[in-house]
Amino acid sequence: MSVYYLNLTPKYEEGIMHYEVHEENCKWLSKVEDREELGDFRDCHVAIKEAKHRHPNWRIDGCKYCSPECHNL
């Protein structure tokens, strides 16, 4: 289990604006004031599901470095 966070600053990749979910020890995790703690989850898929529940109108993706299995862009 790991603590996951949602970066609240949108990222643009391939011309698509999205928000990324990161594991707690990711070097790409944003500053404390620019992230939202999602909670302790078994994997990034569950963390992304929680982020989408909280922000249903946002496009949310996993970090390609700490959660590559959830990175779809």
Side-chain angles (χ1 to χ4, degrees), residues 26-67:
C26 181
K27 73 176 190 171
W28 298 104
L29 183 59
S30 59
K31 297 181 230 173
V32 173
E33 60 270 11
D34 294 329
R35 66 185 184 207
E36 174 182 344
E37 184 174 336
L38 297 170
D40 199 18
F41 299 103
R42 69 176 183 271
D43 60 41
C44 59
H45 298 287
V46 182
I48 288 175
K49 184 176 180 180
E50 174 63 23
K52 288 181 177 183
H53 173 74
R54 293 184 190 186
H55 305 281
N57 297 320
W58 291 11
R59 184 177 187 132
I60 298 173
D61 196 33
C63 171
K64 67 181 173 182
Y65 301 104
C66 68
S67 300

Side-chain angles (χ1 to χ4, degrees), residues 2-30:
S2 294
V3 177
Y4 285 86
Y5 295 88
L6 178 64
N7 185 344
L8 298 176
T9 302
K11 181 175 181 182
Y12 292 89
E13 191 171 349
E14 298 182 22
I16 300 169
M17 183 183 87
H18 66 284
Y19 298 84
E20 287 188 339
V21 169
H22 297 269
E23 282 191 64
E24 61 189 321
N25 295 320
C26 181
K27 73 176 190 171
W28 298 104
L29 183 59
S30 59

